[in-house]
Amino acid sequence: MTMGVHEIEDAKLIFNFGYNGADSHPIVQRRIVRAKQKGATIICADPRVTECARIADVHMQLKGGTNIALVNAMCNVVYNEGLVDQKFIDEKTVDYDAFVEVIKKYTPEYAETICHVPAETIRKAARMYAKAPSAMILYGMGVCQFGQAVDVVKALGSLALMTGNYGKPASGIGPVRGQNNVQGACDMGALPNNYPGYQNVTKPEIQEKFEKAWGVKLSNKVGVPLTHVPQRVLEEKDPKKQLHAYYIFGEDPVQSDPDAEEVREALEKLDFVVVQDIFMNKTAEFADVILPGTSWNEHDGVYSCCDRGFQRIRKVLEPPKGVKLDWEIICEISTAMGYKMKYKNTEEIWNELIDLCPNFAGATYAKLEKYGNIQWPCRSKDDSDKGTVVLHQGKFANPDGKGKFYTADWRPPQELENEEYPLSLSTVREVGHYSVRTMTGNCRTLRNLEDEPGWIQMNPADCEKLGIKHGDLVKVVNKRGWCITRCNATERVAKGATYMTYQWWIGCCNELTIGSNLDPVSNTPEYKYCNCRVEKLDDQAKAWEYVNTEYKSIRERMGIKMVGKEAV
Amino acid sequence: MTENMSCYVLCDPNKCTGCKACELACFAEHNKENNDVAYTVGTVTIPVTPKLYLTKTEKYCMPVQCKHCEDAPCLNACKKHAIYRDENKQVIVDQSKCIGCKDCVMACPFGAISILPVSDNGAVLLQKDKECVKAASKCDLCTGIEGGPACVRVCPNEALRLVDLNEEQLAKSIATANSLYDSRLS
């Protein structure tokens, strides 16, 4: 994020694109609601009527998989109506002309044929955005989880560039990241191409720095992205390039990754699988070794918020006897494998890390204690450097200091609706259950609110055509797999489109999602678009029996104990 | 002057985001004493039974809860005298008298009453045929609970507020009279 999350409340205009805060991050949505109460204009682009769409001044209910056509059309309006910040463009940016060449053909009328958003609505939104004294873009997985994702991020970034919406309070562009501390995972170098602090593994001077600090030889090769794992296990013929072992830490790829059948096949084929987690999950069923980890309140550490803010977390509970802290497990495995890794506490780890990362160097534990939250870059240990709320003030992070314009032509999603599978399917979130529910599924209160087999959101007209009604169990199927779930008939979704949350074991939409269409840069899969067919189940009693038996059997396999009157 | 009017909780649907914190807080607050529900999830051994109901349509998203009607259809419909008005004029269900006949659900024009399982001592109560005991469940404004309605206290968006029209009406009457008086002078 180029801004701070707290700044959302002060925004004059929020352009909320493919981001459903009310279900994903109620605490961030609270800021959007407050901004609205304080008079902010809200533009929402989302194929569903989300809570944000409901309170928006303009809702562009676009067809799924057409993001970039809509953004290009908004840029087209801003350009053609002379609403650009020419001074900003001249002084602080490059590649404007090439960008304009691409957006020229995306007139609102042309975009309407792709996105199904009326041309006049696009014009209205573009004018509102460009004319606002300052405007903030927030986007979420509705942008990132497509085969064409990074292009859209850059196009949104360009919309902000052409209107000069950087480097000032409550402006800029903010990816509201999918999970807690996913920003931290990236900051810490849990990416195939980076050391901590976004320092590239292919750069000799960086390699040398880390080799010297750690006293070992390091590889200059980029690693394997998570989403390439099944392919590298199942299809790679060269045994040297094949993956043989997989150490999975706080993830449940069988539940969270697309095309679950393919993930299971890969895990079956791997020689050795280690899972480190706090509860059993679907992936742990394939593990050769399970290492019990500690939960967020059983260890110390630092989280990064999506706005680059470091915050301390503190242990409030002792872990169960015999359970080691996550960082202790890593140290012991490393030592057993020949690299002696030893720390006294998390502060010692943190100090080593910030000394190796210039952008984090000033964020000491002492300052985190004092200020509560420090947004990087924070380069000086001096008390006066409290971090950076607003990025790109004066100049951009590129070597030449300029903001780079970029957009691309629209590419449709890989797997479109057809006669056999006439509906589109997108994965979404719902409030109450976090991620794959490894944690919240074990929370009896939240499970009481929503439980298996989940729901498929469908337009009432589509339900009527199929002769199904709200609450009926239905079978959702495509060429990769199927699942059984309940029908949620709602006007909040458009005809022809369906939506499922991805955490259910029985109503498991990732049996259907597509694993092969990755964004070429981010390697993120196209979770937000594949085709499907919904089938009516005539024998509802039998279907419920299937759901209940299957659920019971999974719970038994996972060793989940029944407490109280659990069957209710 | 007539008697005092009862209070009720009102939602501003422009602020509600459907997070259900109100439902959970309502459940937790009402099951502290008899069912040992505390702050951690491990203490919940019974079904979650809130007394207000989050309701979503295309245009709205808000919890629906009892308005404590002055002429309460539920109270008048109840043949078991399980619904009564307390000293603060709040309409209260005595679940020990309720037989789950659903007349009150039928009578309530707002859909603010539901028939839900009844728990005690950390377990659902059962009938002879092993079906769980069910009774009418609706907002009691957290009567007797310190700090007032739990839903109002926990809402992260301050979308809920306790309305006391006795004071509000008086304040509005005074404002109206003032403005009329001022305009007459000018």
Side-chain angles (χ1 to χ4, degrees), chain A residues 192-439:
Chain A
N193 59 338
N194 281 332
Y195 290 111
Y198 304 92
Q199 301 177 83
N200 203 291
V201 297
T202 59
K203 286 192 177 155
E205 69 276 17
I206 300 291
Q207 185 186 348
E208 201 183 314
K209 177 168 90 171
F210 280 89
E211 282 179 344
K212 215 173 129 198
W214 293 340
V216 280
K217 278 304 256 183
L218 294 167
S219 163
N220 62 354
K221 302 253 178 335
V222 171
V224 182
L226 173 73
T227 44
H228 288 198
V229 168
Q231 186 200 334
R232 284 290 279 265
V233 176
L234 298 170
E235 284 158 40
E236 181 58 56
K237 296 283 179 283
D238 180 352
K240 282 202 164 149
K241 284 189 187 158
Q242 231 177 37
L243 290 182
H244 299 277
Y246 199 6
Y247 187 164
I248 300 161
F249 182 3
E251 280 255 349
D252 182 6
V254 172
Q255 188 69 33
S256 66
D257 286 9
D259 198 350
E261 182 56 35
E262 191 188 51
V263 178
R264 284 191 293 264
E265 263 175 53
L267 287 167
E268 284 279 7
K269 199 179 161 197
L270 278 156
D271 300 333
F272 186 56
V273 177
V274 184
V275 167
Q276 184 169 330
D277 217 312
I278 59 171
F279 292 119
M280 273 300 284
N281 59 36
K282 276 186 169 174
T283 304
E285 292 190 280
F286 292 85
D288 296 291
V289 177
I290 295 175
L291 300 170
T294 41
S295 67
W296 57 271
N297 51 12
E298 293 169 327
H299 53 228
D300 288 315
V302 176
Y303 277 165
S304 304
C305 175
C306 58
D307 65 4
R308 301 162 278 112
F310 293 131
Q311 291 172 52
R312 286 269 286 109
I313 56 158
R314 294 165 188 85
K315 181 164 100 172
V316 291
L317 290 174
E318 280 304 322
K321 216 167 175 246
V323 174
K324 291 180 162 47
L325 300 175
D326 288 328
W327 64 265
E328 290 175 339
I329 296 174
I330 294 169
C331 286
E332 286 186 27
I333 286 179
S334 168
T335 305
M337 289 172 76
Y339 177 75
K340 216 173 151 222
M341 192 186 278
K342 201 168 165 43
Y343 298 98
K344 285 200 278 294
N345 51 40
T346 56
E347 184 170 7
E348 204 182 335
I349 301 171
W350 186 251
N351 284 340
E352 174 186 315
L353 175 104
I354 58 175
D355 284 342
L356 286 165
C357 302
N359 278 336
F360 307 160
T364 59
Y365 261 38
K367 271 160 76 177
L368 287 171
E369 286 293 344
K370 193 168 170 187
Y371 300 122
N373 172 45
I374 294 180
Q375 288 176 259
W376 62 262
C378 177
R379 297 195 180 92
S380 163
K381 289 198 167 53
D382 193 279
D383 230 17
S384 61
D385 188 349
K386 296 177 189 170
T388 314
V389 177
V390 178
L391 284 186
H392 314 311
Q393 294 184 64
K395 61 176 189 164
F396 286 89
N398 290 321
D400 62 0
K402 304 270 187 178
K404 234 171 134 55
F405 275 101
Y406 182 84
T407 188
D409 276 313
W410 172 64
R411 288 198 306 273
Q414 185 175 1
E415 186 180 87
L416 299 175
E417 304 88 315
N418 58 33
E419 215 164 280
E420 199 180 355
Y421 304 112
L423 300 166
S424 68
L425 170 69
S426 168
T427 70
V428 291
R429 307 289 185 272
E430 73 187 58
V431 75
H433 280 288
Y434 171 66
S435 188
V436 288
R437 66 166 255 166
T438 303
M439 290 188 285

Side-chain angles (χ1 to χ4, degrees), chain A residues 22-23 26-27 29-30 33-34 37 49 51 54-55 431 443-446 448-450 491-492 563-565 568, chain B residues 13-20 23-24 41-42 44-48 56-61 124 126 156-157:
Chain A
D23 282 315
I27 290 303
Q29 185 66 23
R30 183 182 58 162
V33 168
R34 284 188 193 158
Q37 294 292 320
V49 182
E51 296 316 322
R54 198 170 60 76
I55 60 167
V431 75
C443 171
R444 283 188 284 272
T445 322
L446 295 173
N448 254 295
L449 281 187
E450 265 316 331
E491 298 278 357
R492 288 189 174 220
V563 180
K565 182 80 174 68
V568 175
Chain B
N14 287 320
K15 293 184 185 171
C16 177
T17 67
C19 75
K20 299 186 185 176
E23 287 193 355
L24 292 180
V41 295
V44 179
T45 56
I46 54 170
V48 173
K56 263 185 171 188
T57 67
E58 190 185 356
K59 294 194 176 68
Y60 294 101
C61 173
V124 180
L126 296 180
N157 295 310

